[in-house]
Amino acid sequence: MDIRELLVKVKNNEISIDEAQKALKKLPYEDMGFAKIDHHRKERQGHSEVIYCEGKSREHLREIFKALIKENKRVLGTRADEEQYLYVKEHIPEVVYDRSARLIKYIGEDIAQIGNIAVCAAGTADIPVAEEAAQTAEFFGSRVTRVYDIGIAGIHRLFANIDIINKASCIIAVAGMEGALPGIIAGLTDKPVIAVPTSVGYGSNFGGLSALLTMLNSCANGVTVVNIDNGYGAAYTADVINKLINEKGKC
Amino acid sequence: MDIRELLVKVKNNEISIDEAQKALKKLPYEDMGFAKIDHHRKERQGHSEVIYCEGKSREHLREIFKALIKENKRVLGTRADEEQYLYVKEHIPEVVYDRSARLIKYIGEDIAQIGNIAVCAAGTADIPVAEEAAQTAEFFGSRVTRVYDIGIAGIHRLFANIDIINKASCIIAVAGMEGALPGIIAGLTDKPVIAVPTSVGYGSNFGGLSALLTMLNSCANGVTVVNIDNGYGAAYTADVINKLINEKGKC
Amino acid sequence: MDIRELLVKVKNNEISIDEAQKALKKLPYEDMGFAKIDHHRKERQGHSEVIYCEGKSREHLREIFKALIKENKRVLGTRADEEQYLYVKEHIPEVVYDRSARLIKYIGEDIAQIGNIAVCAAGTADIPVAEEAAQTAEFFGSRVTRVYDIGIAGIHRLFANIDIINKASCIIAVAGMEGALPGIIAGLTDKPVIAVPTSVGYGSNFGGLSALLTMLNSCANGVTVVNIDNGYGAAYTADVINKLINEKGKC
Amino acid sequence: MDIRELLVKVKNNEISIDEAQKALKKLPYEDMGFAKIDHHRKERQGHSEVIYCEGKSREHLREIFKALIKENKRVLGTRADEEQYLYVKEHIPEVVYDRSARLIKYIGEDIAQIGNIAVCAAGTADIPVAEEAAQTAEFFGSRVTRVYDIGIAGIHRLFANIDIINKASCIIAVAGMEGALPGIIAGLTDKPVIAVPTSVGYGSNFGGLSALLTMLNSCANGVTVVNIDNGYGAAYTADVINKLINEKGKC
Amino acid sequence: MDIRELLVKVKNNEISIDEAQKALKKLPYEDMGFAKIDHHRKERQGHSEVIYCEGKSREHLREIFKALIKENKRVLGTRADEEQYLYVKEHIPEVVYDRSARLIKYIGEDIAQIGNIAVCAAGTADIPVAEEAAQTAEFFGSRVTRVYDIGIAGIHRLFANIDIINKASCIIAVAGMEGALPGIIAGLTDKPVIAVPTSVGYGSNFGGLSALLTMLNSCANGVTVVNIDNGYGAAYTADVINKLINEKGKC
Amino acid sequence: MDIRELLVKVKNNEISIDEAQKALKKLPYEDMGFAKIDHHRKERQGHSEVIYCEGKSREHLREIFKALIKENKRVLGTRADEEQYLYVKEHIPEVVYDRSARLIKYIGEDIAQIGNIAVCAAGTADIPVAEEAAQTAEFFGSRVTRVYDIGIAGIHRLFANIDIINKASCIIAVAGMEGALPGIIAGLTDKPVIAVPTSVGYGSNFGGLSALLTMLNSCANGVTVVNIDNGYGAAYTADVINKLINEKGKC
Amino acid sequence: MDIRELLVKVKNNEISIDEAQKALKKLPYEDMGFAKIDHHRKERQGHSEVIYCEGKSREHLREIFKALIKENKRVLGTRADEEQYLYVKEHIPEVVYDRSARLIKYIGEDIAQIGNIAVCAAGTADIPVAEEAAQTAEFFGSRVTRVYDIGIAGIHRLFANIDIINKASCIIAVAGMEGALPGIIAGLTDKPVIAVPTSVGYGSNFGGLSALLTMLNSCANGVTVVNIDNGYGAAYTADVINKLINEKGKC
Amino acid sequence: MDIRELLVKVKNNEISIDEAQKALKKLPYEDMGFAKIDHHRKERQGHSEVIYCEGKSREHLREIFKALIKENKRVLGTRADEEQYLYVKEHIPEVVYDRSARLIKYIGEDIAQIGNIAVCAAGTADIPVAEEAAQTAEFFGSRVTRVYDIGIAGIHRLFANIDIINKASCIIAVAGMEGALPGIIAGLTDKPVIAVPTSVGYGSNFGGLSALLTMLNSCANGVTVVNIDNGYGAAYTADVINKLINEKGKC
């Protein structure tokens, strides 16, 4: 918002006061009543708005998809169930769905994948959350290296893969149960580690709380944490870091 | 309690009915009013009663020490503060104290140390709890190998010591913060691992809860857990296991 | 991994540098992409890998079973539901299933059962967890004595069975609701007691939390604890202890 | 409040309307500004108001004691620290103090002790709470039988005393750590058991929460529970029950 | 268990040593393998064993009912669902069921109802728990007065019924949401109040925790608390108290 | 309740003593056995009783609706599911239902809408709770301004609407996930803000606990909070405030 | 911020573009480095900034007081300890302190007190929080009626004062322990009730959590809640409501 | 560890088998008994080991400082209290201390500061944690921009500084109480935001839990979280990211 330019135009009578006032106040979103689509988010944050599908009615969902597709070549919906997908697909046949990652994707144009994000998962039951992270990062345009089933019950599997992991610009480490994986990776790398606790486990796991606390209390340096099962959130930040490192002139 | 023998004696008039009745009901403890000293615990469980000092008045503590010393050659008091120790020492000069482990010991006779228990600590701040465990096990007559400061921030320190740890009959693993150490050791050994969470840490550690949950949720096999900071309890069980393995005819 | 032998061979040109390098780095697991089967776990820990079935897709489950059966005569899957079992059975007809314990077993050869583990349950509703423990221990080759429905509401039932319990090398005590059973057994025995809290109960039981806290806070000596409903974990450790005591030359 | 009698008097002009209106609205308490002394509580509930001292300024405390002593022969203050006691004693020299139970008592007349309440404590560290219960019940006029240090680590000590306990009209069972005592007593008696969890313990005891949950989840019948460390509350209810049973014409 | 009598018989050769030994050790329960029926509970505690149905297989349930009916004229099962009931009824046609209270009852003989227990419920949604309490008390032989929907949103409804409530020997007060009812009743009565928190509510109610904490922290005297939704437990204790007060020679 | 007038009538023989006694004691509710309808609530609190439908049997619900409709022109039922609605409609065809807000409404007469309450929602998934609030306030006779989807991920959407929000007498702010919206609005307004946390979210949201704590800890002034998902409760208080401000002579 | 006026001035050359740009961006606060004093808060929210003293260094506190006094006639500091007060007084001798309410006040001019806020406290130990509320409201210019010690243990004390409470425009209800008072008042009034839980109590009170949950779950209508011990926050909102009702032209 | 090179040397007899074996096994740490100094951490992770001082004895602390200073030009100790500092300074006079940040620093050589990390704090009471972060980042060689007291109670203060914040490569956002700041910044930037909850606040803040949950549940993208009060951990990760972006050839 270039205020000076606007003021100069007012002074020079190149723009009316009404227009200037409107410009200074103008709403950078589209008001749909039940939703206000934030079309300027891409300018502000680097990514266009992503749709959190859970809990939204399928009619709302369809309209939000339509509004975003009008303005964007690529649109992503997270935490979508199959029923939501089928309804949206009926009206927007181009969308595709990944059942494991629960993502609905509209890919109107391909983009290059740059840099390298390592997505690590402790066990096979953590793969859905890891895939949400991996596919989100790929959707945003980051290259992804998957390293799955390297949990601490057989720690040599991690050691055999540590060189591959260390090649990435940023590491996402997904783990349920005791959640020790991110801390151990952090002790073996000089890259930022984004830890994702999962709700995999039972008993005193308390829906992922155990893994979350483990990760927050890690005595290894370089670990930051996102919410339980939040593969999307980890991918968002990893993509930001990966691009800042690998795109020229970003910083 | 050999009931048959008693009945035979009754039948044979070798014992009066009054005596027999008393014997069948007799109390295997010493009633001090405020405390009932359980002198038969050694027969029943293999160790004489140990005194949990915290919260006891110093006068009660002194009397309980005296009562136990009368019947035992070795007496142990746990979670004792210095003031309690000094008061007891005034009346029982033979007792000794370890400030870090917070143990008061009365050693009336030396005993052999058998077998081998490995006591591992993740960080230097976990040493007081580790020492409570190590010295308790030694008091009971187990040999102890200490391996300290091998937490996951520098996991090669653990790998350099894993052979020493694997030589033990039973492993005690003490850790605060994220508490990942016991699970990692368990993945590398074929011995039972007793995990002791400590209250070392801050923030969402919640007084050791984080480490406790980590240990309970370990995906590695062979880990059992005791209460937060309960080095004594870990040593008790480790000593039982160590002796069952290394003493002939125990089982 | 005998490093010295390898180095001698290098020196003596009995092995190429390439081969030596590969050997030093070689991966003791089978990489299936979605899973990395840890075939060396038996050497390292004494038991081959057990499959935690919950949350795994049935196709993954089938492949993991196949990979393990290729290398092992006996394979165990825990927390399997009936649907998983039926799918696996379609492809591997030899597997059998126990609905109460939720175990899938592939028994390619019989093994001797040695020693003695007592599995105690407080109430009849705790039997599924107790059976998971008992059958796991039997699968690993430990002899098991079952003692069920001896909870504290009628404590004489425990006393009538205490001699049988005390004959075991190791005791597993399973209890829900208030979870007092393991502590009471511990006060009456000189064997290690592994406590398993169950989620049986309601209200302020909070899914087994009440029983878990009771067991962690037991004032009786000799109790260690595993996660809520984790009969498998208790059996694993009990089997390790039972074999260390009863197999010659284990320690 | 006999409304009919009042209305008859109004009708018969034996009382003015103003007086009747006042009588119908009159306040059965003494308003001291910072406190409203409830002098009618004895009529309504059977006991005069007891002073909860914690958190009250010493000046307020003194005035409340004075107001209650004016109307009652016996006054009790709970959870008083020594400083509060010394200040009150300065102004009301007749008061006495029990440091362990933290009670201030003004005994203007002796009363008979009737019936029998058994106050049981699991460990010696639970004695302060048990004494708060025992002395409160005695203050209210119930006879008390104390049975201390009968916790489950040496359960034979409980069995040796169960006949004494069963003679009471009502049982108060005080326990910290795992808090199993009340449930075990309940399984052996036909009298109501009031359970008092104490904050004695450490680690996952969480200030008495562990014992509280144990008691609420007891699978034995006949247990009701009061707040952590609330010996007073247990004694109040036990005294009510004891008197209903042992005083003629109470019900 | 009259030990003296037995010893005299041994001495007088009226009984063999084998028989005496067996008598001293004899098991006062019936061992069904999966369950140990405690037939002596009536002597010990005054009520025969009640069946907690939740989580029991229907076959186990049927056998336990049969075993108890063999020895008792009246048998009660709690927390039974309709399916369990229908299966049991197929085999024991005399049983009846109350859907709201979830009780299965076998009434082989009628018994007199004595004394008076007031069962109060704050809202209509608390009625199932209140009915579990009321019908259990009636099953045991206590007379019950029901007072429902007197919660604090319209507190005059409580005041209009307080005289009826005060006529009881013991009061059960059932409430969900904020759970204030028992404390308010306690402030208006001289009878013991047993508080039952229910899981009725939502949001920060946390499954009844809110009501439970309210009741434990009541500043009114004379309240004791049972587990969330535990109408049965409240009735058990209320019945014990009611009978101690109203049956001659009970204490 | 004008006591004086009554007493004068007694004195003047205009009313019998029996009638006066009854009047002084008369019950301002209708006793239906399972429920006590509080018909005087409108006098006392300004609104007639609203029916909380959750957990009520459909027969009870129907009878309560009938009893309230007999005495009121407008009746509201909250948290009703569709099945409850359909059953009530069968017997009372005039009722209408809003599926999103889960409200059953009987509108026997229209009322004016006065003042202005702003109902703000952070995301589209919070709309059901916001609608419960908005429609409840409208039912009570307050005018409502809806401002939805103004959460902090695109905070300019809030700023663009702040002037509209500031025109209200009272603001209801509904938010799930992190729940920051009410605090931010409070920092930008001089009107009272009633915060409603919703259970929208996942992971460490813990069913709305995260949003609830955020709102309680807001460092902005002027925020008060209601229970999680309690749109009705927020509307009730907002309506009270709105009317006190906008109706003459209310205070 | 009147944008239009500014633009007209630019157009008319009454103001330079630099000045206009600065005005559009100008910071409505005073930057002190460690703090940014928000001098425009009075315009925006109706009250000038209040200083939360806890945790601030005394030097910072002094400077913030000075900065606010420069611009305001009345300045308030909350949660101040005596040491902070004494240091501030040394430099600003006009400030006064209330030890119970922990408030530092600078009163440079008197203001009229309007309307009426009732501040109710359940027990005498709740008075410090109640006084923080009462004195804050008076500082802001609201008239306050104090009604203390009307908790539910003697509920007639509340009924005797309900008419006085009902005269207020807004009610603040302060309670610890079980926290039932606000809900009971709400059931008897047609005014908004702001509930303040206090940390008064012990055991399962958990620092005020019990009272907080009670208040959030109140089944009575018209209750909103602030944070534990937050008398200030309650007073802020009560003052806003009181003034909206009693000041002409506010809405 | 270049295995190939080593093997070649063995083959070429340039190194003995003993030496090779030792090299392959050699310990990259210094064993001090109570501690194992990880001198290779710099190679592995990019930073030398930092000393967590809390809970360490002053003698241990001194020795660890000495050992690290021997190998490093710059050494940092965190969470040190003044007493620890004074003792260390006695033996190592070059160390300096920052009381607010609780850091002990040994600066043996100056290093260049590169890039830009913005450290934001919501309130003045959050400054100690913010300073721990800022000074740690500076110690590691990152340039830091401090922006303090921009919490949401006066959100215009944040907007006035958002351009400065957006210039950084990475943003650390520190907040207590409700903890909303990081989410709001994340909605306004395209840089990674590391959120640090602080324990500043009271009541239902629960020692920082409220702020922690807020940050984990942020609906704004790009937020990752560290433990409560863990300014050090945030700085470590921010420094890693800042250097990866601003140092050539790092990735």
Side-chain angles (χ1 to χ4, degrees), chain C residues 3-4 6-8 10-11 13 15-18 20-21 24-25, chain H residues 3-4 6-8 10-11 13 15-18 20-21 24-25:
Chain C
I3 294 174
R4 188 168 197 93
L6 203 81
L7 291 171
V8 171
V10 167
K11 197 179 169 77
N13 286 320
I15 188 176
S16 77
I17 281 176
D18 274 3
Q21 186 176 13
L24 279 165
K25 280 185 162 175
Chain H
I3 293 174
R4 187 169 197 91
L6 203 83
L7 291 171
V8 172
V10 167
K11 199 179 168 79
N13 287 320
I15 187 176
S16 77
I17 281 176
D18 275 1
Q21 187 176 11
L24 278 166
K25 280 185 160 175

Side-chain angles (χ1 to χ4, degrees), chain F residues 19-40:
Chain F
E19 280 168 326
Q21 186 175 9
K22 221 152 115 192
L24 279 165
K25 281 185 161 174
K26 83 167 163 211
L27 310 179
Y29 60 83
E30 174 183 351
D31 200 333
M32 307 174 67
F34 61 88
K36 296 185 175 53
I37 307 298
D38 184 3
H39 289 310
H40 283 229

